[in-house]
Amino acid sequence: MSDSDNEYIEDHSSGDDHNLNVGGSGRAQRQKGSGRNATSKPGTRARWERALRDTNNEPNVVADDSRLAENISRRAEAQKRARIRKDTKPFQRGIIRHMVLVLDVSEMMLEKDMRPNRYRVMLRYLEEYILEFFEQNPISQITVLMMYDGRCIQLSELSGNPNDHINAIQKLRDGDGKDELPKEPKGSPSLQNALEMSRAMLYHTPKHGTREVLIILGALLTNDPGDIHKTIASCVKDKLRVSIIGIFARMKICTEIVSRTNGGDESGYGVATDDVDLRDLLMASTSPPAMRATEQEDAAANLLVMGFPSRTEEEHPSLCACHGELTRGGYICPRCKTKVCSLPQTCPSCQLTLILSTHLARSYHHLFPLRNWLEVSWDRVREMRTTQCKGCLKKFPGIPTEDDGADKMDGSSESSRYECPSCHHHFCVDCDVFCHQTLYNCPGCQSGPPAQVPASNGETTGDPMALDGAS
Amino acid sequence: MRFHIDELEVLFPYPRIYPEQYAYMSDLKKTIDRGGHCVLEMPSGTGKTISLLSLIVAYQQAQPEKRQLIYCSHLTRIGTMSEIEKALAELRSLMHYRTEQLGYQEEFRGLGLTSRKNLCLHPSVRREKDGNVVDARCRSLTAGFVKERKERGDDVELCEYHENLDKLEPHNLIPPGVWTFDDLTRYSEEQKQCPYFTARRMIAERVSKELSKDCIVVFDEAHNIDNVCIESLSIDITADSLRKASKGADNLETEITRLKETDAQKLQDEYDKLVEGLRGADEARDEDAFMSNPTLPDDLLQEAVPGNIRRAEHFIAFLKRFIEYMKTRQKVLHSFAETPPSFLTHLKELTFIERKPLRFCAERLTSLVRTLELTNIEDYRALQDIATFATLVATYDTGFELIFEPYEVEGALMANPRTHFACLDAAIAIKPVFDRFSSVIITSGTISPLEMYPRMLGFSALITESYTMSLARKSFLPLIVSKGSDQKVITSGFEKRSDPDVVRNYGALLTEFCKLTPDGIVVFFPSYLYMESTISNWQGSGILDAIWKYKLILVETPDSQETSLALETYRTACNNGRGAVLLSVARGKVSEGVDFDHQYGRTVLCIGVPFQYTESRILKARLRFMRETYHIRDQDFLSFDAMRHAAQCLGRVLRGKEDYGIMLMADKRFTKKRNQLPKWIAQALPEADINLSVDQAVAVAKAFLRDMSKPYALKLQEGVSVWDMKDLKKHQAEQQEAEIMELQEQAELQAQKERQRQRYLEEDDEFEMDVGDEDAMMQLDV
C-alpha cells in the first residue's frame, strides 16, 4: 500500500499546481486502484498514472502574463476582423434595392431582456441602420411599416431620402402629439398582413431593382386573419425576398417564409439574442443581396435611364420641386430643368432617377469587393522581412527568436500582419479593417509595384523602374 | 459506409454513423452470437431501426443458414402502419445500398404485415371503416369452405384477388426484394392478387417451415410490452356480452339442427376427428381459423376431446349451462375477487361442469364453426370470448384472477355488472415467444429501468444496456420544477392536487412557458379527471385568458374523433405561427402514438407524476401477484410504471439530433425519481436543475432557447456526435488497444503471481524444510 502511495506522490510532484483537477480525480482513482496495484512493481504503472504524466507533458500548461496579454490582444484583433470577413467572391448583386422595413410594435416588444426594452433598442438601432443603408446603397429606396395590434401601418413612403425615414422613426419614438401614432407597442403582430402590405408596396417597383422585405419580429407568434401559406406563395410569385430578424427564439413559420422566398436558403432568418447581436444582424443586411440565376434572366440586359444633375448656386432663392421651399442651392434635372435639393432622388416632375456618379461608385464595391487579406505566418515574415505597416507605417512586432508553438487563434494572425494577396504588402489590423470597411481598395495595389521577396543576400531584387517599363 | 464489427462486415447506408449506433450494433451482435435475449434502450431519433436492420441483414447474409428476422413495432398502435412502413422503407434503402456496394443482388425478401383494413383491395370491402367488419367480410369471401361450396356450384361470392393467389406457386407469391405497403399494394393491384394474403402466406411459409428456432425476433417500441401481454389474455365479460353469447349459442343450435337434416355426415366426420384429438387443431391453425386460440399448453394438443362435448349439440348445451352460470354469478351486490381454482370448485358444485371439458371449449368451438361453414363470424364474437375465457380459467391456476363488480363505476346506482378475468402475469403470454426463438430483442427509446422487464416477463437477458445520446450541443433541457414562484410545493399528489395554490402555480408555470416557447407546447396531466378540474379552475381564475393571448388552447378528450380534430388543429397552428398548447393525458392516445417533433413540440410539460389509479381492483390484484411471485414491491412497480409513462411523454418531444426541446417535469415527487428516468434524459439533468421554482425554470429555459436559436452548423457535430469512417476507425483502434492493454495487464498480473510463487518456493527452499510436506500443503493451498 505505502509503496504505491510514495510512487504516486513522486509522480505528481513533477507536475504543476494548476493540475489540481487531474490530481483530484487521480486521488479518487487511487483509492480504488490501490488494492490491485499493491503488489505491482515500481516499473509498471497503471493507466491513470500514464495519463497523468501525459497531461504534464503538454506545453500549454505554463501560463505567464505576457502570453495572456497577447491572447487578449489577439482576440480583439479577431473580433475586429470578424466584421470584415465575408464572402468576397464577385457576384452580380442588386445594387438598386427596394426595401420594405417592417417593425414589430406588438406587446412582446415591451420585454425587458434588452435595456430599457426591445422596442427602444430596436428604434435606436434603426436610425443607425437607415443611415448605413443609404451609405452603402445610395440609389436604393426604403419604406417603413409597422405591425401594431394585428394591423400593418405605413410609417413612411417608399423613398431614397434617409431623412424621411429617420423622421418617421423619431416620430414613432417620441409620439407626434396626434392620436395617429401609438405611444406604446400593443397587441400581437400579423406576418400575413405585413407581407400582403409589403407586396402591395413593391408591386409597382421596376424589375431591375430588388424587392426585399426585412421584418424585425420580437413576438413568438403571428395572429393572421387568413392562410399565411397562400400569402407566402404569392410573395414567391412576385419575387419578394423576405429576411427576418427574430428576437430570442426561432419560429417555424419564419424559417418557412425565408426559405421559400429565398430559394431554399434559410440564412436570411437570424435570431438576435442580445442587443449587439441585433445590431450586427441589422447591419449585415445593408450589403446588397446576390442575384440569383433565375432573376438574372429577367434583368439580363436592361438599360436604365439615369440623370446626372449638376449643382447650381443661385443668387436669388427659388422654390425646390421636392419640398416647395425657397433655397439658393440645388441640383437641376438634366431633362426637365427642375430643381431638387438633395440627391439621390427621383425627379418630381419627369420621374427620372437623379444621382451623382459618386453614388454609383460607392455601390460599385459591392460588385467587385476588395479581396480578403491573408493572415501571415512567422515563416512568411522571415521570408518577407517586413517591419512596418504599408498603410500607416506602424511598427510590427519583431520576429521571435524561436518558434514557441503559440496556440493559434482562429481569425487573427500570429504575426499581427495581414497580406494583400495581389500586391503582397503587409498591413496592420487597423488598416485592414479601414480598407475593407471604408476605403474599399488596397493602398498597396494603388501605389506602385507589388512587394518583392528580398533576396537572401540582402539586395533588393525588385527594380521598380524595370517593372514600370514592362507594364 | 462499410466497416467491420469483429469479423462481420456491416454495410451502413449512410456516410456517417452515430457513436451510439455503433455501440448498439456491437451489443446486438454479441447477443445474436451467443443466442440470447436482450433489452436495449436507445433514445428515439438516433436511428435505432436502421442500425438494427443493417446489423441483422449483414448477419443474415454472412451466415450460410440465413436466420430470419421478425420485426414487431408499436404493439399498441393498431391501425396505423407508419412505423412498420418506415422500417420497410429503411430496409429497402439498405438493400439498395448493399446491392450497390457489393455489386450483386442478394436473394432477400422483406415484407410487412398489417391488418386487412389497411391492405384490402376488394372494391366493396375496402370501403368499410371498422377493422372488425373488414376482417369478417374478408373471411366470408376467402374462407376455404366458401371455395369448396363454389366448386360444388353454389352461388357464393368470392374475392377475386384472393383467388388469383392460388394460381401462383405458394412459396413464390412475390418476387424477391423489399416491399413497403405502398409497393405491395401497387404490385398487387397490377397482378390482381390480394396483398394481405400475399404477405401473410409468405411470412407464414418462411417462419413456420424454414427456421423456427433461429429466428431473430425484435420488439421495437416495446416499453409497454407487459401491458400488451396482459391485455391479450384478459377478458371482460359484461351482462351484455353474456346476452349476446347466449344468443350466439341459440343460433348455433339452429344451425346444427339444420345441418343435421341436410348433411348429417359432416357432423359425424367432425366427431370422428375429435376422437383423434386436437392434433388436427395444429394443422387447422391456418389462415381461415376462426380466431387464433389462446396459448394452449402442448399437452392439451395431445389429448382427445372429452366425450361430453364431442357431439355438437352436447357442446352447445354445455356452453349454455356455462353462460347461465356466469349470469347468476354476476348478480352480486358487492365486488369481490376470486382465484381460478375457487371459481372452478364453485362451478363444479353448482353445475357439475368439470375442469377438463372446459379446457377444450375454445378449440371445440373453432372446430364447430368450421364444420358449420359459418360466414358471419362477427355474430359469434361474444360466444368466442366466453369460450376463450372458459379455456383460460381452466388451464391456468395462477397468474389470473376473477373480479366481479356489480357497478361499472364506483358509487353508480344502476347495476351494470361486469366480470374481469384479469391476467396478472405478463410472462404467460410472452413465454411461447421466448421459448421458441433463441434471440428476442426488446428495444425502445424509453424502457428504464431495464432490469424490471426481464423480471416481469420471466426471461433472462444476456445484455441489458442503455445508451446515451451523444450530442455536440445540449439539444434538450430536462428540468424538474418542484415549487412555485411563491416557494409553495407543487405536486399532483392526491391530498394536495386541488389546493388552490397548487393549481395556481401550475397555471403560472404554463403561462410563463407559453410566453417564452415558440410554436407548440404539449402538456400532460395524470388523468382526465384531474385535467378537467384543473382547466375549469384555470377558467375561473383567468389563467386560460392569459394563455390564450400567446397560444391556442386545445384539449384531448376520450373521444378519438375529437382528439384527432384537436391534433389536426394543433399542427396547423404550429405550422402557421400562431402557436398552440395541447392539453392531454399521460396515458391517453396522444402520449403513446403521436410524435411532437420540431415545431410541434418545443416544450413538453408533465404536470404531476402519472401514477395509475391505485384503487382499481385489477391493479391491486396485479400488484399483489407481483409482490408474491416476483418480489416486486408495490411502490416500486407503481413508480416504475409512472416513470415510464412520464418518460414516454417527455420522449415525444425529441425526435432526432437536430431537434431541440424543453422537458419540464412539474412535481415535487420527481426530484426523488431522477434515477428512474432513462439514462439519456437523466444524464442531461444536472443536480442543479432538479429542484427549481417556476421563475428559476423560466430563466434556465430562456437561456436554453436563446442558445438554440442560433443556427447550428452540422460540421461541428462531426467527430463528436457523428462519426465518419475515420472517426470510427479511430474508435475501433482505441477499443482494441484498450482490450489488448487489459489482456496484457492480466497477463502481467498472472506472471507476477507466478513469480511471487516462485520466489516463495525459493524462499522455502532456503529454509530447507521438509520439502515433501510443504509441497503437499502448498498444493492444498492452491
Side-chain angles (χ1 to χ4, degrees):
Chain A
M1 247 323 181
S2 62
D3 268 357
S4 84
D5 264 359
N6 285 338
E7 182 187 84
Y8 174 74
I9 292 163
E10 265 167 32
D11 239 25
H12 192 234
S13 57
S14 64
D16 272 313
D17 277 343
H18 70 273
N19 241 334
L20 255 179
N21 234 341
V22 181
S25 64
R27 207 165 294 138
Q29 281 175 13
R30 172 172 55 94
Q31 280 161 357
K32 262 190 261 163
S34 56
R36 201 185 47 180
N37 288 334
T39 55
S40 68
K41 292 206 162 184
T44 64
R45 285 175 206 281
R47 214 176 309 158
W48 55 268
E49 283 171 317
R50 264 170 294 190
L52 187 67
R53 212 175 35 185
D54 288 348
T55 49
N56 285 348
N57 286 343
E58 277 177 24
N60 62 344
V61 290
V62 195
D64 63 65
D65 286 353
S66 64
R67 179 61 60 79
L68 193 67
E70 200 177 302
N71 275 347
I72 290 171
S73 71
R74 197 161 295 156
R75 176 152 296 164
E77 258 182 45
Q79 269 170 3
K80 275 185 194 167
R81 266 174 62 83
R83 280 181 217 151
I84 55 168
R85 272 191 306 141
K86 55 187 171 191
D87 196 6
T88 55
K89 211 171 159 196
F91 282 115
Q92 184 177 351
R93 290 177 186 270
I95 55 170
I96 302 175
R97 305 171 70 184
H98 301 98
M99 164 85 96
V100 179
L101 193 59
V102 184
L103 316 179
D104 181 0
V105 190
S106 71
E107 206 182 286
M108 280 297 268
M109 292 304 282
L110 292 172
E111 283 287 304
K112 290 187 172 53
D113 51 356
M114 298 177 188
R115 298 287 167 186
N117 61 24
R118 289 179 184 180
Y119 180 60
R120 297 283 152 189
V121 170
M122 176 181 77
L123 292 184
R124 191 171 73 223
Y125 287 139
L126 269 177
E127 287 175 33
E128 228 176 289
Y129 168 75
I130 287 170
L131 285 173
E132 176 74 15
F133 180 86
F134 283 106
E135 178 74 28
Q136 300 276 334
N137 312 283
I139 47 176
S140 301
Q141 291 180 311
I142 275 191
T143 172
V144 184
L145 312 179
M146 69 169 177
M147 296 183 283
Y148 171 76
D149 200 10
R151 290 175 297 154
C152 191
I153 301 166
Q154 188 173 24
L155 290 175
S156 69
E157 295 285 339
L158 191 65
S159 90
N161 187 352
N163 291 330
D164 294 354
H165 310 298
I166 289 176
N167 284 342
I169 284 166
Q170 276 169 350
K171 250 190 223 165
L172 184 66
R173 188 180 56 198
D174 307 329
D176 60 349
K178 287 170 245 160
D179 287 335
E180 279 173 33
L181 284 176
K183 275 241 163 71
E184 283 289 290
K186 185 185 157 195
S188 48
S190 162
L191 284 178
Q192 194 194 10
N193 284 345
L195 286 178
E196 287 292 354
M197 185 123 170
S198 316
R199 213 157 63 85
M201 293 276 139
L202 296 171
Y203 189 74
H204 297 288
T205 55
K207 275 229 172 93
H208 54 73
T210 62
R211 296 172 170 182
E212 293 172 65
V213 181
L214 175 67
I215 302 173
I216 302 172
L217 185 70
L220 288 176
L221 60 100
T222 155
N223 217 340
D224 299 324
D227 185 2
I228 191 164
H229 298 278
K230 281 184 194 152
T231 308
I232 299 174
S234 41
C235 286
V236 174
K237 214 175 80 202
D238 287 352
K239 298 208 167 53
L240 257 63
R241 302 170 66 143
V242 184
S243 34
I244 298 176
I245 297 173
I247 298 177
F248 188 65
R250 291 182 90 81
M251 268 168 75
K252 171 71 181 21
I253 189 69
C254 297
T255 319
E256 193 181 331
I257 293 174
V258 172
S259 86
R260 280 185 62 187
T261 52
N262 286 290
D265 181 20
E266 280 178 24
S267 58
Y269 180 31
V271 176
T273 51
D274 53 27
D275 47 356
V276 180
D277 215 15
L278 178 66
R279 184 176 179 277
D280 288 350
L281 283 169
L282 271 172
M283 292 311 165
S285 67
T286 52
S287 55
M291 301 284 269
R292 286 197 300 270
T294 47
E295 284 178 2
Q296 281 170 7
E297 282 167 25
D298 293 340
N302 267 338
L303 287 180
L304 189 60
V305 188
M306 276 186 185
F308 296 94
S310 48
R311 169 132 188 116
T312 55
E313 287 292 337
E314 300 158 318
E315 266 179 47
H316 308 289
S318 63
L319 292 174
C320 74
C322 42
H323 304 96
E325 281 167 10
L326 281 172
T327 50
R328 274 184 197 280
Y331 299 89
I332 305 288
C333 169
R335 190 154 73 184
C336 62
K337 308 288 180 210
T338 311
K339 190 179 88 169
V340 293
C341 40
S342 67
L343 290 181
Q345 207 166 56
T346 316
C347 171
S349 86
C350 70
Q351 303 301 319
L352 186 67
T353 311
L354 301 177
I355 58 169
L356 287 176
S357 59
T358 49
H359 288 139
L360 271 185
R362 246 193 288 159
S363 290
Y364 196 67
H365 73 264
H366 292 301
L367 305 181
F368 302 101
L370 183 59
R371 280 160 74 190
N372 275 348
W373 291 348
L374 308 170
E375 292 140 30
V376 180
S377 66
W378 283 122
D379 292 342
R380 176 76 178 156
V381 176
R382 284 194 197 99
E383 196 183 327
M384 296 291 289
R385 305 220 191 114
T386 47
T387 51
Q388 58 186 17
C389 168
K390 174 76 179 169
C392 61
L393 303 181
K394 194 177 126 191
K395 276 228 162 20
F396 286 138
I399 301 168
T401 44
E402 61 178 84
D403 198 349
D404 54 357
D407 51 332
K408 177 125 174 48
M409 196 172 296
D410 199 26
S412 74
S413 159
E414 57 180 356
S415 60
S416 305
R417 293 158 169 85
Y418 299 90
E419 183 177 311
C420 169
S422 50
C423 68
H424 304 297
H425 283 296
H426 287 179
F427 295 91
C428 67
V429 65
D430 294 314
C431 288
D432 183 6
V433 174
F434 177 71
C435 292
H436 280 91
Q437 287 192 331
T438 317
L439 210 55
Y440 303 119
N441 56 30
C442 167
C445 301
Q446 304 292 325
S447 63
Q452 294 293 317
V453 178
S456 49
N457 56 12
E459 275 177 36
T460 48
T461 46
D463 185 354
M465 292 310 290
L467 267 174
D468 276 350
S471 64
Chain B
M1 61 200 281
R2 293 169 82 153
F3 55 90
H4 286 79
I5 297 181
D6 299 339
E7 74 294 343
L8 179 72
E9 187 181 32
V10 179
L11 279 85
F12 192 72
Y14 299 103
R16 296 199 163 75
I17 188 169
Y18 297 150
E20 55 270 29
Q21 283 178 322
Y22 178 73
Y24 187 80
M25 286 196 219
S26 309
D27 280 345
L28 260 182
K29 181 171 176 300
K30 261 183 240 162
T31 316
I32 300 172
D33 272 345
R34 283 150 71 180
H37 314 307
C38 65
V39 184
L40 302 174
E41 178 184 67
M42 180 146 115
S44 44
T46 48
K48 200 170 17 179
T49 313
I50 188 62
S51 356
L52 210 127
L53 290 174
S54 51
L55 182 92
I56 293 180
V57 170
Y59 205 90
Q60 276 180 335
Q61 299 295 343
Q63 298 241 322
E65 69 267 26
K66 311 239 162 162
R67 298 164 71 171
Q68 307 283 320
L69 163 72
I70 304 174
Y71 176 86
C72 317
S73 178
H74 263 286
L75 301 163
T76 47
R77 249 209 254 182
I78 299 158
T80 59
M81 45 181 184
S82 57
E83 284 300 310
I84 295 271
E85 180 82 358
K86 258 188 257 167
L88 281 170
E90 294 257 34
L91 183 59
R92 189 173 50 184
S93 70
L94 172 68
M95 294 318 288
H96 271 308
Y97 180 76
R98 288 186 72 93
T99 314
E100 241 168 60
Q101 288 287 317
L102 297 172
Y104 60 90
Q105 187 117 27
E106 286 161 310
E107 166 86 10
F108 187 87
R109 271 197 189 88
L111 283 170
L113 184 59
T114 177
S115 65
R116 287 182 171 89
K117 182 173 171 280
N118 292 331
L119 288 177
C120 188
L121 289 175
H122 190 274
S124 73
V125 177
R126 70 189 301 182
R127 260 182 242 126
E128 299 285 350
K129 289 199 176 61
D130 187 0
N132 287 334
V133 180
V134 175
D135 284 1
R137 286 203 54 191
C138 179
R139 277 195 214 98
S140 71
L141 292 174
T142 55
F145 55 82
V146 182
K147 201 177 171 196
E148 281 167 30
R149 221 188 274 174
K150 178 91 178 171
E151 277 158 14
R152 270 184 271 136
D154 291 4
D155 183 30
V156 283
E157 197 191 349
L158 284 177
C159 177
E160 180 196 358
Y161 293 93
H162 179 247
E163 289 313 300
N164 288 341
L165 216 52
D166 290 343
K167 294 171 196 155
L168 299 167
E169 286 176 72
H171 60 273
N172 205 10
L173 299 173
I174 193 162
V178 179
W179 301 88
T180 63
F181 292 125
D182 272 349
D183 296 341
L184 183 63
T185 1
R186 216 172 299 129
Y187 175 82
S188 305
E189 191 86 68
E190 280 167 25
Q191 302 287 320
K192 291 263 173 216
Q193 67 186 51
C194 176
Y196 174 75
F197 282 103
T198 305
R200 185 165 158 168
R201 282 189 193 164
M202 289 304 296
I203 290 170
E205 170 111 358
R206 293 294 160 122
V207 173
S208 58
K209 289 193 183 141
E210 282 178 21
L211 45 110
S212 66
K213 189 67 191 154
D214 274 344
C215 233
I216 303 162
V217 180
V218 179
F219 291 104
D220 202 350
E221 306 289 336
H223 43 268
N224 55 1
I225 189 165
D226 58 317
N227 288 337
V228 174
C229 291
I230 282 173
E231 272 163 36
S232 72
L233 286 185
S234 296
I235 296 168
D236 271 16
I237 298 166
T238 58
D240 189 47
S241 71
L242 279 178
R243 214 173 306 124
K244 273 189 192 151
S246 58
K247 211 173 106 201
D250 289 341
N251 284 348
L252 271 185
E253 203 169 16
T254 48
E255 287 285 333
I256 289 167
T257 41
R258 191 178 54 78
L259 193 66
K260 238 186 201 161
E261 285 159 13
T262 54
D263 195 0
Q265 183 56 37
K266 218 167 191 174
L267 284 173
Q268 187 56 40
D269 286 351
E270 190 208 11
Y271 180 85
D272 293 343
K273 212 160 83 190
L274 290 176
V275 176
E276 284 167 28
L278 275 177
R279 192 170 284 289
D282 215 10
E283 296 154 25
R285 284 189 208 184
D286 61 357
E287 61 205 34
D288 35 294
F290 181 22
M291 233 178 128
S292 58
N293 42 10
T295 47
L296 281 181
D298 279 343
D299 56 325
L300 198 64
L301 296 175
Q302 317 283 341
E303 286 177 54
V305 175
N308 56 349
I309 57 168
R310 256 179 241 165
R311 291 246 172 252
E313 52 272 48
H314 293 172
F315 176 60
I316 294 299
F318 176 87
L319 270 184
K320 278 183 165 175
R321 208 151 21 116
F322 184 67
I323 293 167
E324 285 309 313
Y325 169 75
M326 286 306 291
K327 278 186 184 166
T328 51
R329 282 306 297 273
Q330 282 206 332
K331 286 176 190 146
V332 286
L333 289 176
H334 53 90
S335 54
F336 69 99
E338 201 175 27
T339 59
S342 114
F343 174 81
L344 288 176
T345 325
H346 191 252
L347 178 70
K348 195 176 169 190
E349 274 170 19
L350 252 81
T351 59
F352 300 102
I353 290 180
E354 292 270 356
R355 183 192 187 125
K356 200 173 168 202
L358 216 49
R359 287 174 74 179
F360 287 89
C361 264
E363 279 304 313
R364 182 67 189 89
L365 183 66
T366 313
S367 155
L368 181 63
V369 167
R370 201 179 302 125
T371 315
L372 291 176
E373 300 181 353
L374 295 177
T375 51
N376 47 344
I377 290 154
E378 261 321 283
D379 303 349
Y380 300 101
R381 187 164 292 273
L383 190 61
Q384 171 71 21
D385 282 350
I386 299 287
T388 311
F389 162 66
T391 304
L392 284 176
V393 79
T395 309
Y396 296 103
D397 282 347
T398 55
F400 285 87
E401 190 154 86
L402 276 143
I403 296 162
F404 294 95
E405 275 183 344
Y407 305 112
E408 194 170 6
V409 284
E410 208 79 24
L413 292 173
M414 278 287 288
N416 185 12
R418 52 177 56 221
T419 308
H420 305 285
F421 181 62
C423 174
L424 307 174
D425 190 358
I428 293 175
I430 198 82
K431 193 166 175 292
V433 179
F434 284 118
D435 285 350
R436 186 161 176 197
F437 302 113
S438 59
S439 282
V440 178
I441 293 150
I442 292 177
T443 177
S444 174
T446 51
I447 196 166
S448 287
L450 296 164
E451 66 282 355
M452 202 69 152
Y453 286 85
R455 270 165 90 188
M456 282 195 311
L457 298 177
F459 70 99
S460 57
L462 204 58
I463 295 177
T464 52
E465 188 62 60
S466 176
Y467 307 94
T468 55
M469 201 167 184
S470 61
L471 290 168
R473 64 169 180 174
K474 192 180 168 187
S475 71
F476 62 97
L477 178 77
L479 297 173
I480 297 176
V481 182
S482 61
K483 43 195 187 277
S485 302
D486 52 1
Q487 302 301 315
K488 288 246 168 72
V489 167
I490 52 175
T491 174
S492 71
F494 192 74
E495 62 284 354
K496 280 203 134 177
R497 55 165 56 175
S498 39
D499 196 336
D501 278 337
V502 171
V503 176
R504 183 172 45 80
N505 274 324
Y506 274 137
L509 178 67
L510 183 57
T511 320
E512 283 299 323
F513 273 88
C514 282
K515 203 166 154 189
L516 68 88
T517 313
D519 302 327
I521 298 187
V522 194
V523 183
F524 290 103
F525 287 87
S527 68
Y528 283 112
L529 217 64
Y530 185 52
M531 176 165 81
E532 275 161 25
S533 75
T534 309
I535 291 177
S536 64
N537 253 328
W538 284 350
Q539 171 80 47
S541 53
I543 286 169
L544 283 194
D545 293 334
I547 295 172
W548 187 259
K549 235 182 350 189
Y550 306 108
K551 303 273 175 219
L552 289 183
I553 303 170
L554 296 154
V555 182
E556 183 196 3
T557 60
D559 182 272
S560 76
Q561 288 282 322
E562 261 175 40
T563 304
S564 31
L565 190 69
L567 262 177
E568 189 65 43
T569 320
Y570 175 77
R571 286 181 187 273
T572 317
C574 293
N575 265 333
N576 64 19
R578 175 65 177 93
V581 52
L582 182 68
L583 307 177
S584 59
V585 172
R587 288 162 193 279
K589 177 180 172 233
V590 167
S591 72
E592 210 14 83
V594 186
D595 283 350
F596 295 101
D597 51 338
H598 296 100
Q599 76 269 28
Y600 299 124
R602 286 296 181 212
T603 296
V604 58
L605 169 59
C606 223
I607 289 188
V609 185
F611 280 114
Q612 284 188 54
Y613 175 59
T614 44
E615 294 302 302
S616 143
R617 285 180 177 276
I618 301 174
L619 179 64
K620 276 184 177 164
R622 187 165 175 213
L623 287 177
R624 194 170 56 241
F625 175 81
M626 281 202 293
R627 193 174 53 229
E628 284 161 6
T629 319
Y630 297 124
H631 309 291
I632 299 172
R633 285 188 302 152
D634 296 8
Q635 201 48 47
D636 285 352
F637 178 76
L638 286 175
S639 162
F640 149 76
D641 186 65
M643 287 314 282
R644 79 170 156 188
H645 272 95
Q648 233 342 263
C649 298
L650 298 176
R652 298 282 106 201
V653 73
L654 199 70
R655 280 311 194 235
K657 290 205 170 181
E658 61 282 8
D659 198 359
Y660 64 91
I662 302 170
M663 302 169 170
L664 272 178
M665 289 162 269
D667 194 314
K668 173 81 182 147
R669 290 173 293 173
F670 275 120
T671 45
K672 293 204 186 93
K673 297 191 193 304
R674 178 176 167 225
N675 48 1
Q676 288 176 1
L677 285 167
K679 198 169 149 198
W680 59 280
I681 297 183
Q683 73 155 12
L685 182 65
E687 202 66 39
D689 283 352
I690 64 167
N691 196 6
L692 299 175
S693 66
V694 171
D695 43 351
Q696 285 168 323
V698 167
V700 177
K702 268 187 178 165
F704 171 76
L705 280 176
R706 206 172 292 152
D707 284 349
M708 288 299 117
S709 69
K710 288 285 160 202
Y712 190 66
L714 280 175
K715 236 182 148 65
L716 293 177
Q717 290 187 357
E718 275 167 26
V720 184
S721 63
V722 181
W723 287 347
D724 56 10
M725 203 60 209
K726 217 169 62 207
D727 296 319
L728 184 68
K729 281 261 165 65
K730 207 171 101 197
H731 174 76
Q732 280 179 334
E734 266 169 28
Q735 225 173 19
Q736 258 167 15
E737 206 171 298
E739 259 169 49
I740 290 170
M741 292 260 249
E742 197 77 28
L743 283 178
Q744 271 177 350
E745 248 161 52
Q746 266 177 16
E748 226 164 80
L749 221 67
Q750 202 94 95
Q752 252 170 35
K753 265 191 198 156
E754 193 63 31
R755 269 200 299 278
Q756 227 164 30
R757 220 184 107 190
Q758 285 290 336
R759 205 181 329 144
Y760 198 53
L761 283 176
E762 277 163 24
E763 276 171 17
D764 281 350
D765 281 350
E766 275 171 32
F767 289 111
E768 282 183 84
M769 284 174 107
D770 192 346
V771 179
D773 268 0
E774 265 316 294
D775 267 359
M777 273 172 78
M778 281 297 293
Q779 267 163 8
L780 277 177
D781 276 1
V782 174

